[in-house]
Amino acid sequence: MPPTSSHAHAPSSAWRSGASAPHAASTAVIGLQWGDEGKGKVVDLIAPKFDAVVRYNGGANAGHSVVVGGVRFALHLVPSGILYPDKLAVIANGVVVDPESLLREYDGLTDKGVSMKGLVVSSRAHVVMPYHKAEDELREQLLASDDGESIGTTKRGIGPCYADKAHRATAIRISDLLAPALLRARLDTICKVKSVMLGSAGSSLDPAHLAAWATHLGERLRPHVHDTTYLLHDMLSSGKRLLFEGANAALLDVDHGTHPFVTSSSCTTLGIPAGTGVPGSRIGEVIGVVKAYTSRVGNGPMPTELLDDLGQRIRERGREFGTTTGRPRRVGWIDLVAVKYAAMISGATSIALTLLDVLSGLDEIRACVAYSSADSPAHTDRFSPDSEAMRAFRPVYHTLPGFTEDITCVRSRAALPKNAKSYIEFIEQYIGVPVRLIGVGPDRIQTIVDGFAS
């Protein structure tokens, strides 16, 4: 692997704006389903074309798996571009950072020989504190009591941290970890508020202990903390290329997903400007990542879910167990109504279709092309970002012939089995966006990139 760029040591001054610098378009990689589509693999594959990979939303509740040379890397907060030591891996202001989790990931990657010199963390990113996790767990317990339905969060404190970001007075940012006196004063106030909110769960909050814990972690992160907004604009002004890496996925977007069973951040390209300070006009290409079937973690509607042996077969072949939690994912046929909606709001210009190999061996493959409802004889081809409305929908399927061939060694679209190509073409026609990358196995090299340009 090439040596780490010296720019990583002083990113705030590495690139300076210049009037004659070229205007560089950026690229975004966005999940167009309920997450776990394989965004990490796509980012890892195209990262060499860029100067920095930028994470702009979510927290340690997101997990990306990348397999390189048979070695599996599980990434949660660190952008997938970290596997290239000459790239910057930027955690921007829109991410909520659990410093303990980040440093655990840091140490784990270091132990595997990954250079972490390119890691940059925004001073404006908000911090997930231990009491956020306690609040998250308490909320889930209360929602699930009395036959209720919890959101199904990872209990990593993501939602409560974003809530404190909006509450302002009870928020802590990465920059606060580097100012011990200020941090302690803020925690004195915050612990009083949280102890009332959490009741017995907050009775043991100790501002002195929390301040010492957070300050220690902040000192370890200090070399990597910078104003990432200026960093990214300096890079763009000097002609550098940025790759934005989305966490979670469009159908989990806090505004445009199946509310309330969503995550707590903006997951599509719409979240990039707020989450990084880079305007949407600098994004030239949007790669929407779509799994060849559908999966979902947590509760909420999923019209195409398979609860039978076929669903279990797909789950096992697709290794559908959470990168972050290890819990089994719900699986089902591809929902093209939902994917087309997600592509629309994300502005997808191309599709990366992943895990096509998982469908090998099936006699037939189904794709949801509309929804029916007991309340209306008419079918609809419009997705609803409302869970109660979605619960009433039943999938209307188009059935295509399956394929039995092993495709894990195929490296061109033309060499795919006829029925596999027909399935891809049907997806393209329905969504109205070309498929330019096809995943046929978990490893980096098991990818068809015919006609793919970024």
Side-chain angles (χ1 to χ4, degrees), residues 9 18 47 72 120 175 204 209 220 227 233 236 259 273 279 301 336 358 368 378-379 392 396 410 419 424 433:
H9 297 285
R72 191 178 190 87
V120 183
S175 59
S204 62
H209 174 75
R220 283 200 63 193
D227 183 330
H233 277 275
L236 288 171
H259 199 275
L336 291 180
V358 174
C368 175
H379 293 173
V396 176
V410 175
N419 289 345
I424 296 168
V433 180

Side-chain angles (χ1 to χ4, degrees), residues 241-318:
R241 303 189 67 198
L242 306 181
L243 176 59
F244 294 103
E245 176 183 30
N248 308 116
L251 301 182
L252 293 174
D253 187 274
V254 68
D255 287 296
H256 303 287
T258 48
H259 199 275
F261 300 99
V262 293
T263 192
S264 303
S265 62
S266 297
C267 308
T268 74
T269 48
L270 303 173
I272 294 174
T276 66
V278 176
S281 60
R282 304 307 296 265
I283 303 169
E285 181 178 17
V286 178
I287 303 168
V289 188
V290 179
K291 192 175 288 186
Y293 50 96
T294 300
S295 70
R296 180 167 192 169
V297 171
N299 297 326
M302 180 180 165
T304 65
E305 183 172 11
L306 294 170
L307 300 173
D308 54 10
D309 291 343
L310 176 58
Q312 182 62 23
R313 177 188 186 277
I314 293 174
R315 180 180 298 108
E316 291 175 356
R317 290 203 62 185

